[in-house]
Every structure is written in structure tokens, then in C-alpha cells.
Amino acid sequence: MTDRFTLPDLPWAADALEPHISANTLGFHHGKHHAAYVKNLNGLIDGTDLKELSLEEIMRKTSGDDARKGVFNNAAQIWNHTFYWRSMKPGGGGAPTGAIASKIDEAFGGYDAFKSAFHKAAATLFGSGWAWLCDAGGKLEIVQTKDADSPICHGKKPLITIDVWEHAYYLDYQNRRPDYATTWLDSLVNWEYAQENLERADVTV
Ligand code: MN
């Protein structure tokens, strides 16, 4: 079998986000969890017509299809993780500037109100999932998705995301998901990536 998908490299060194997210966390999160989704999907689509499609096409084709739930979950988790790594950078965080800042002001009435709402979405999502800032038809909104689900399957364009599955933070923050979300907003979020996505017609990874 020839692998259709490969594990993308992290966009920075594995220790580059310390002390906020440790190399130990990323070793498991990228090297084990993300890698497992890639391995699983390659096995599930081998010998099927899905192997000819892009990751986004596989996600949209299998979204909501109970018979292909495993394919969807692994494909979407590959996409979501690649997007999550790019949503962070060393020295990131704080309030954005430029067009993305204006769009946030327009939608939420200011950065502080956005930050409070995004933090709440990340902290309160029950169980495993993701919190996103999305462009929904020209207006920004905060979206929560459960498990592997992704806004690209619901007509919304993601700009950034935070992974709130326990495996994303438990080694560094244990049960303190709100502290992880605060640190993510203050020290990690990559607003340049959000700006690039805002300008794209369609976001792919
Ligand atoms: Mn994860």
C-alpha cells in the first residue's frame, strides 16, 4: 500500500512553544496522536475511490455519513491538527492588528469582548472538541465543534482554532483547561495566520 497522506512537520521546533506547551506534550500530540490519525486514514481509504480525493473532499464527502464515521473522524482530525499547529507560533498572542483586528471589533465590539467569548467557548465545551474563530459569510463568529467535527463541513471558513481535547493540555495543565486557553490567547495565537486565512477564498491545509 502506498500512503496517500503523510504527517506534516510542525511549523516550528518541538520545544519552540515552551514554557506554554512543552516538547513532551507536542511529542505525544504530534508524534503519536496526529500520526495515528494519518496512519488510520491511509489504512481506511486504501483500495477505495476516496484515495483519489483531497483531504477536504474526503471530509465533505463523509461528513454525517454514519457508515463512514471512522474515515471522517480520522480525516478531520488530520485537518484540524495541521490547522491547529499553524494557529500557534512562538511569541504569538495578544491583540491582533490590521484587517483581522477591524473584523473582530466589528463582530464582537472589541478585542476584550472577543477574548472573553473565545475563552468561554474553549473552556466550556463539554468533552472533546475544538473552539474556532470563523468567517461565516463575511462576519466573524466563534464556533465550537465536538470530537473531530470541523467548520469546513458546515459552510464556515476557519481562521484559527484551539484544540481542547485533554491530550492537548493535560501533561502541562492537568485539569486546568481555562489556564491553557488563557495562555493560548495571551502567548500563542498566530494572528498572521488568521489574517492569511481571512484573505483566502478557501482554506486548505
Ligand atoms: Mn489533538
Side-chain angles (χ1 to χ4, degrees), residues 61-138:
K61 204 176 178 75
T62 61
S63 175
D65 179 351
D66 285 344
R68 293 193 285 190
K69 190 82 180 163
V71 172
F72 175 78
N73 283 342
N74 285 285
Q77 285 292 80
I78 295 171
W79 199 99
N80 295 350
H81 282 88
T82 301
F83 191 82
Y84 167 65
W85 310 134
R86 294 176 189 168
S87 295
M88 304 186 283
K89 67 169 190 176
T97 56
I100 185 72
S102 303
K103 295 290 279 185
I104 284 173
D105 289 347
E106 182 188 314
F108 304 100
Y111 178 73
D112 289 346
F114 157 77
K115 184 181 167 184
S116 172
F118 188 88
H119 185 274
K120 186 178 178 188
T124 63
L125 184 130
F126 190 78
S128 295
W130 304 79
W132 310 76
L133 177 63
C134 292
D135 181 344

Side-chain angles (χ1 to χ4, degrees), residues 41-69:
L41 183 66
N42 283 328
L44 286 166
I45 65 174
D46 194 48
T48 77
D49 58 353
L50 294 172
K51 202 169 176 176
E52 310 305 317
L53 305 181
S54 70
L55 194 55
E56 291 82 8
E57 287 169 336
I58 293 172
M59 287 166 65
R60 289 180 173 127
K61 204 176 178 75
T62 61
S63 175
D65 179 351
D66 285 344
R68 293 193 285 190
K69 190 82 180 163

Side-chain angles (χ1 to χ4, degrees), residues 28-30 33-34 37 77 80-81 84-85 129-130 162-169 180:
F28 283 99
H29 199 178
H30 176 256
H33 290 275
H34 196 179
Y37 299 129
Q77 285 292 80
N80 295 350
H81 282 88
Y84 167 65
W85 310 134
W130 304 79
I162 179 172
D163 185 347
V164 296
W165 285 55
E166 282 190 346
H167 66 221
Y169 60 87
Y180 158 65

